Amino acid sequence: MTHALLVIDVQNDFCPGGALAVTGGDQIVAGINAKMATFDAVILTQDWHPAGHSSFASTHDAAPMSMTEMPYGPQVLWPDHCIQGSLGAQFHADLTVDRANLIIRKGYNPAIDSYSAFFENDKTTPTGLEGYLRTRGIDTLTLVGLATDFCVNYSAVDAAKLGFNVTVDLALCRAIDFDGSLEAAKAGMRDAGATLV
Ligand code: VGL
Ligand code: ZN
C-alpha cells in the first residue's frame, strides 16, 4: 500500500476573513500539518480561478449562492474567490506547504468549475492527478481540507470511482453546509465507497 494525504483547498479565501469563508476553516491547519509526516506522499490542491470565472455570481450579475445552468449541468454561483495570484488564493500561512510533493491547481478553465481534484465539473476533463497517483503507485488516499461538502466531496467520490481506497478524515475538514449540502455529501461519499472517519 502506498498512501497519500490529499489536502483540499486550505486557502485564505476558505478561512475566516476570506471571500468564501468556511466556519472554522483555519482550525484544521495544525492537525493537517501534524499528519503529513505519516504519509508516503503529500498532495495539496489549490482552487485557482481567473478573474471573471463562470462560477462567479458577479460574472452573471446574479446573487451569490444562487444557481445557474451550465452546459455541463447545474452550478452554484459563488462570490469571487481564489483569483489567481491573489492573497485569497494563497494557502493558509500556517500550512506546511514545504512538505508537499505535488500542488495541483484546478478551476483555471474560465468556462468550467472544478470542485474535484480529478475532473472538472463536466466530469470528463481530467486534471492529471490520476496519472500522477498511478505512476507513483499510490493506491490509498486520505482526504482532508475544505470544503467537506464541495471540493472534498467531489474529490472523494471521484477517487473512489477511480478505484482508489479512500478515507475522509472529517475532523480535519470543515463544510460550507448550504441547503443540506453536508448531509447529502456524506451520504454520497459513503455510497461511492469512501470511508468517513
Ligand atoms: C470550493 C466552492 C467553490 C471548495 C471551491 O474548495 O470546496 N467550493 N470553489
Ligand atoms: Zn472555486
Side-chain angles (χ1 to χ4, degrees):
M1 176 185 88
T2 306
H3 195 172
L5 181 67
L6 183 55
V7 181
I8 305 292
D9 298 0
V10 179
Q11 293 166 257
N12 291 327
D13 271 341
F14 299 121
C15 291
L20 181 37
V22 180
T23 305
D26 54 338
Q27 294 168 356
I28 62 175
V29 176
I32 292 172
N33 290 340
K35 274 210 134 188
M36 287 180 177
T38 65
F39 289 85
D40 301 307
V42 175
I43 298 158
L44 311 181
T45 69
Q46 190 170 28
D47 209 39
W48 195 249
H49 299 302
H53 192 258
S54 58
S55 75
F56 294 169
S58 63
T59 302
H60 306 267
D61 282 318
M65 314 309 280
S66 62
M67 297 292 300
T68 193
E69 206 52 49
M70 296 288 199
Y72 53 80
Q75 168 73 46
V76 181
L77 292 174
W78 303 104
D80 291 21
H81 65 278
C82 296
I83 293 175
Q84 296 171 1
S86 68
L87 185 63
Q90 288 180 19
F91 292 108
H92 187 286
D94 296 334
L95 187 70
T96 312
V97 174
D98 289 357
R99 292 207 68 112
N101 301 132
L102 175 74
I103 298 173
I104 190 137
R105 289 177 169 160
K106 60 183 183 62
Y108 45 72
N109 183 344
I112 312 180
D113 205 1
S114 189
Y115 297 150
S116 167
F118 293 91
F119 296 100
E120 297 187 352
N121 284 10
D122 62 2
K123 299 193 184 299
T124 52
T125 308
T127 62
L129 178 57
E130 180 189 0
Y132 177 86
L133 297 174
R134 297 221 192 273
T135 52
R136 282 202 57 187
I138 293 165
D139 54 6
T140 303
L141 299 171
T142 292
L143 276 75
V144 298
L146 306 169
T148 320
D149 38 350
F150 287 92
C151 290
V152 174
N153 171 29
Y154 278 69
S155 299
V157 168
D158 282 347
K161 282 185 183 164
L162 289 169
F164 294 96
N165 304 310
V166 179
T167 298
V168 180
D169 186 344
L170 292 174
L172 295 177
C173 297
R174 291 292 184 275
I176 295 172
D177 200 8
F178 151 69
D179 242 4
S181 56
L182 178 57
E183 281 316 307
K186 285 193 206 167
M189 289 190 282
R190 284 198 187 97
D191 285 349
T195 301
L196 309 189
V197 297

